[in-house]
Amino acid sequence: MDFSITKDDEAAAAAFDRFCQDKIAPRAAKADAASTFPKETWGDLKEIGFFQSFYEGDYGLGLPWVQRCMMEESLAKACASTFLTACAHIGLCGAPVFYFGTPEQKQRWLRPLVDVEQIGCFGLTEPGCGTDAAAIKTRAKKSEKGWVLSGEKALITNAPIADFAVVFAVTDPEAGYGGVTMFGVDLKKPGVTRSAPYPKMGLRASPTGGLTFEEVALSDDDVIGEVGQGFIHAMQTLELGRIGMCHFGLGIAEAAYDCARKYAGERTAFGRPIARLQAVHFKIADMKIEIDAARMMARRVAWMKSKGEMVGPMASIAKAYATEMAVRVADAAVQIHGGWGYTTDFPAERYLRDARLGPIGEGTSEIQRELIARDLFAE
Ligand SMILES: Cc1cc2nc3c(=O)[nH]c(=O)nc-3n(C[C@H](O)[C@H](O)[C@H](O)COP(=O)(O)OP(=O)(O)OC[C@H]3O[C@@H](n4cnc5c(N)ncnc54)[C@H](O)[C@@H]3O)c2cc1C
């Protein structure tokens, strides 16, 4: 395995990391406290080329996966809310259009996402089901002019601010997995309403909410991919999302490690820095071990993607480990800060709140284990 990238790509990733630390990280605490995504961040990410890093051809720079993943890690390290909102916009929402859309659909929907003229979201989860995605109730019925969409989506990143959504709906209730179709929906259409942002445990600067569709008129041109292929396209998109979530976990863990290490060097107890106490410095060593292990898993998946290999269970292994690791590392960072770790004077508590999404979003840890075990026991 060779995870190396060219010197130029390495320099570009390092420049992006500096940008994240200089521009994005200083906004994170305030954005979290205000539960608001900083508007200027959209323009800054566009200017630095973040939204160009996902696709190739007319819609991006075709960066190597390892480089793109390093950038995602840098962004999550600087501000996990920014990672979530930006990646839901260009990744979760953009990927189905890029991989399964027609040239006309890419021009209509992906172009404005890459150029940040519109904000995107990905609508799969519903109030009654998330993991069991084939049980969705949102329905698109064939009409003379196209389709009529009715139903409700919940827990959708960017729903409160989005202009465009990729929406999954049942088009043939008799066909099970084969009866789901993916649509591109302009959220300004009559019949679309959205909830206010939900108050959340963490990732507060990334707005999460619900979308309701009441007899929204869609045309055949709004179908992305084939009718009846929506479930498969959703799973393919979520597999890519898992790679992103590895880097979400890695980035948060890195940030938590940095702040814990710094604090342990400064805080004294019993006449010496707490970093000299074995209980504390072993904890910091454990954080480092776990981060390193997760990074190897994440890089392996990125490297496999670069070679065009199927990542399947490797993405699940890396996603489950990296996101659970981030919770453990952020928790250790709070512990190392003692009582101050429990206050908002230090970012450790935010890292812990933010990290907690990792084992839930884009396929829970339980479902990752299910996928890994299914592969292990496959006949
Ligand atoms: C901040 C945030 C942002 C999100 N953004 C989006 C988004 O942009 N788009 C979107 O579509 N969704 C989004 N989600 C939804 C997220 O993907 C779901 O919450 C997640 O998939 C779990 O679904 P659920 O909440 O319905 O839980 P359930 O599916 O009801 O699961 C509840 C529990 O049961 C377990 N469980 C369920 N089935 C199994 C099984 N077969 N085996 C073992 N255990 C099982 C789960 O692991 C979990 O622990 C977001 C959620 C959050 C919190």
Side-chain angles (χ1 to χ4, degrees):
M1 287 186 225
D2 177 6
F3 303 153
S4 63
I5 51 176
T6 66
K7 287 271 171 259
D8 283 354
D9 291 345
E10 227 169 71
F16 183 76
D17 188 64
R18 277 196 302 280
F19 155 85
C20 288
Q21 287 307 311
D22 292 349
K23 281 255 162 101
I24 307 294
R27 295 173 189 154
K30 201 168 153 205
D32 176 72
S35 292
T36 307
F37 190 84
K39 280 211 171 71
E40 62 274 29
T41 292
W42 287 112
D44 290 339
L45 285 173
K46 178 183 169 183
E47 202 182 313
I48 194 86
F50 180 72
F51 301 114
Q52 299 262 328
S53 70
F54 277 64
Y55 307 112
E56 58 258 359
D58 291 342
Y59 300 96
L61 303 169
L63 296 187
W65 270 86
V66 172
Q67 184 186 351
R68 171 183 149 184
C69 289
M70 287 166 77
M71 292 170 71
E72 290 184 30
E73 181 182 332
S74 293
L75 190 57
K77 180 176 177 180
C79 175
S81 285
T82 301
F83 168 98
L84 191 68
T85 271
C87 292
H89 160 77
I90 195 68
L92 273 184
C93 178
V97 183
F98 180 76
Y99 291 109
F100 312 114
T102 63
E104 184 274 329
Q105 288 175 332
K106 288 181 203 178
Q107 202 49 37
R108 179 154 56 120
W109 293 322
L110 188 57
R111 181 82 274 150
L113 296 182
V114 173
D115 294 344
V116 201
E117 282 156 7
Q118 295 209 336
I119 306 299
C121 66
F122 175 86
L124 177 62
T125 305
E126 300 191 352
C129 66
T131 306
D132 187 6
I136 57 171
K137 298 267 184 296
T138 296
R139 185 87 163 83
K141 289 188 180 159
K142 197 80 187 90
S143 69
E144 259 179 40
K145 290 187 183 159
W147 301 86
V148 177
L149 179 73
S150 300
E152 199 181 338
K153 297 291 172 183
L155 288 165
I156 308 302
T157 300
N158 296 346
I161 57 168
D163 304 286
F164 168 72
V166 168
V167 174
F168 296 83
V170 175
T171 45
D172 181 355
E174 307 302 316
Y177 294 109
V180 175
T181 299
M182 181 162 67
F183 293 89
V185 182
D186 170 357
L187 297 179
K188 290 184 195 75
K189 274 184 185 274
V192 179
T193 49
R194 65 187 85 208
S195 75
Y198 307 146
K200 299 200 298 297
M201 173 184 184
L203 299 165
R204 291 180 180 163
S206 170
T208 316
L211 294 170
T212 305
F213 306 102
E214 280 179 68
E215 305 206 335
V216 177
L218 301 176
S219 74
D220 286 327
D221 291 340
D222 295 330
V223 172
I224 306 174
E226 299 288 312
V227 171
Q229 292 295 299
F231 184 82
I232 294 170
H233 293 334
M235 294 306 120
Q236 289 164 323
T237 305
L238 289 173
E239 186 177 285
L240 298 175
R242 265 167 223 150
I243 303 174
M245 288 306 281
C246 299
H247 297 88
F248 168 90
L250 259 179
I252 296 174
E254 274 281 342
Y257 166 83
D258 282 356
C259 81
R261 191 174 182 280
K262 180 167 182 284
Y263 187 81
E266 291 166 0
R267 178 75 174 182
T268 56
F270 302 96
R272 55 192 168 150
I274 59 168
R276 297 269 190 82
L277 303 170
Q278 193 182 67
V280 174
H281 73 213
F282 273 15
K283 221 178 234 104
I284 292 174
D286 283 341
M287 293 162 101
K288 187 71 183 163
I289 291 168
E290 290 220 76
I291 291 170
D292 241 39
R295 178 166 295 109
M296 288 302 119
M297 291 182 198
R299 291 286 185 273
R300 177 176 64 184
V301 176
W303 170 77
M304 288 170 76
K305 279 302 286 182
S306 283
K307 296 200 327 155
E309 288 181 15
M310 302 278 285
V311 290
M314 294 302 180
S316 293
I317 290 170
K319 194 266 179 183
Y321 185 80
T323 55
E324 292 173 11
M325 174 280 295
V327 176
R328 288 192 294 272
V329 166
D331 187 51
V334 170
Q335 191 67 18
I336 287 168
H337 282 73
W340 296 108
Y342 202 70
T343 73
T344 54
D345 284 10
F346 290 90
E349 60 83 33
R350 171 162 49 87
Y351 299 144
L352 181 56
R353 288 188 284 108
D354 288 353
R356 198 58 191 82
L357 173 72
I360 298 171
E362 298 187 40
T364 62
S365 279
E366 289 78 10
I367 222 63
Q368 302 311 327
R369 284 181 172 76
E370 184 60 37
L371 294 171
I372 295 161
R374 250 186 245 167
D375 183 70
L376 292 175
F377 290 100
E379 294 288 304

